[in-house]
Amino acid sequence: MQFDDDANLDTSEVRDVRGSRVPGGKATIGGGIVGFIALIMGVVFGVGPEQLGLSSDGEDPAAAPSSQAQVQQSCRTGRDANAREDCRILGVVNSVQDFWRQEFARRDATYGSAKTVFFTDRVGTACGTASSAVGPFYCPGDKQVYLDLGFFDELRTKFGSSGGPFAQAYVVAHEYGHHVQNRMGTLARSQDGRQGADSNAVRVELQADCYAGVWAQHATRTPDEKTGKPLITKLTDDDIRDGLDAAAAVGDDRIQEKFQGRVTPETWTHGSAAQRQQWFYTGFETGDMARCNTFR
């Protein structure tokens, strides 16, 4: 995956609170055994903590300013995105939102941008307080994506993904798929209290995978709104394979087999490895969000 070296990145789409301390008591979900159990249950990037049964203890969702925040100062151009991980994620956020703004406009609808928040360890949100153990997630309460960049190391070391820049891009694009669902009114369908292979919770996650694939199909042709040129200039077959591999690595069946030694489809929340790959590839192959109806 390659960015246009001369492109200007929009840092306003990322809020960097790495190194901040969340005020107040303790997080409901933490590291150690609680976080480990959360991972076993398949709580690996999805929607906000309150929809996963991991709500906060009422802490203030605002984080204190971070002296370690670097995105605003260091991530200015596509050249930075090609050189630094945090700048690359910012570039992906910019590209994904460029696409969805234009796609919604084409459909005579309003997209409404969503920030991504970089954090470390734990973070307060309108959906509750969460730790890094829950993985990346989208909070519909404040319409923001939350991401501890350390997750990408775990994606390789803990979940067995091949990794790579586009594996990271897939994760980000999946979260923005949830924002698209929120704008369209379909995200709430996951809140019927059910889980399992045929649940709406799984269908919502698979649709977000499909929307990630739709963006990937258009990424190198989506013009930046300021320059008229795409931010991403190159995606290779190897990039797409990395995305598919990441999708498989976080399938419920793979996670359950790895961490609990058996597969229990009745507790699935995100879908199997094969399903996640299938729906990402459906979006990528067609480039059409209308083909992402996982509820049929």
Side-chain angles (χ1 to χ4, degrees), residues 22-94:
V22 177
K26 60 182 181 179
T28 302
I29 289 299
I33 189 64
V34 177
F36 183 68
I37 291 171
L39 293 173
I40 287 177
M41 292 172 63
V43 183
V44 181
F45 60 94
V47 292
E50 91 293 352
Q51 290 169 271
L52 303 170
L54 310 178
S55 308
S56 82
D57 48 8
E59 293 179 22
D60 186 342
S66 171
S67 60
Q68 299 179 26
Q70 299 182 36
V71 166
Q72 302 296 326
Q73 292 77 30
S74 302
C75 301
R76 297 296 187 181
T77 68
R79 183 174 289 104
D80 298 325
N82 288 323
R84 289 175 52 126
E85 181 182 65
D86 52 0
C87 301
R88 178 166 63 244
I89 302 307
L90 168 61
V92 171
V93 170
N94 288 172

Side-chain angles (χ1 to χ4, degrees), residues 55-232:
S55 308
S56 82
D57 48 8
E59 293 179 22
D60 186 342
S66 171
S67 60
Q68 299 179 26
Q70 299 182 36
V71 166
Q72 302 296 326
Q73 292 77 30
S74 302
C75 301
R76 297 296 187 181
T77 68
R79 183 174 289 104
D80 298 325
N82 288 323
R84 289 175 52 126
E85 181 182 65
D86 52 0
C87 301
R88 178 166 63 244
I89 302 307
L90 168 61
V92 171
V93 170
N94 288 172
S95 174
V96 169
Q97 298 214 98
D98 281 344
F99 169 70
W100 286 116
R101 275 191 291 267
Q102 292 166 38
E103 179 67 12
F104 270 59
R106 189 176 71 82
R107 296 168 178 269
D108 296 320
T110 301
Y111 168 67
S113 296
K115 289 183 186 292
T116 286
V117 180
F118 291 167
F119 72 98
T120 49
D121 298 330
R122 67 188 181 102
V123 66
T125 82
C127 295
T129 299
S131 86
S132 302
V134 304
F137 64 91
Y138 170 71
C139 172
D142 55 28
K143 301 180 179 63
Q144 295 188 125
V145 171
Y146 290 86
L147 174 62
D148 185 329
L149 297 182
F151 172 78
F152 295 129
D153 290 331
E154 291 192 347
L155 189 59
R156 289 184 302 100
T157 61
K158 186 173 290 186
F159 298 100
S161 167
S162 59
F166 193 77
Q168 300 173 353
Y170 154 72
V171 171
V172 174
H174 171 99
E175 292 309 323
Y176 276 94
H178 288 311
H179 182 58
V180 170
Q181 292 170 323
N182 197 30
R183 298 297 298 177
M184 296 180 68
T186 55
L187 184 60
R189 298 180 71 169
S190 67
Q191 300 180 52
D192 61 0
R194 297 176 57 241
Q195 58 181 340
D198 295 323
S199 66
N200 280 348
V202 166
R203 295 175 191 277
V204 162
E205 296 297 336
L206 295 177
Q207 187 177 63
D209 283 335
C210 188
Y211 286 162
V214 170
W215 161 75
Q217 172 58 236
H218 294 277
T220 58
R221 301 190 304 277
T222 297
D224 176 71
E225 295 169 345
K226 295 184 179 67
T227 67
K229 298 191 300 182
L231 287 172
I232 296 176

Side-chain angles (χ1 to χ4, degrees), residues 45 155 159-171 173-174 206 209-210 212-217 235-254 271-286:
F45 60 94
L155 189 59
F159 298 100
S161 167
S162 59
F166 193 77
Q168 300 173 353
Y170 154 72
V171 171
H174 171 99
L206 295 177
D209 283 335
C210 188
V214 170
W215 161 75
Q217 172 58 236
L235 280 182
T236 67
D237 290 343
D238 285 342
D239 289 324
I240 301 305
R241 277 193 288 271
D242 284 343
L244 287 165
D245 187 72
V250 291
D252 283 324
D253 54 340
R254 292 273 186 95
S272 70
Q275 287 175 313
R276 301 202 72 167
Q277 286 188 317
Q278 172 198 335
W279 281 104
F280 172 79
Y281 196 74
T282 294
F284 177 71
E285 187 176 41
T286 65

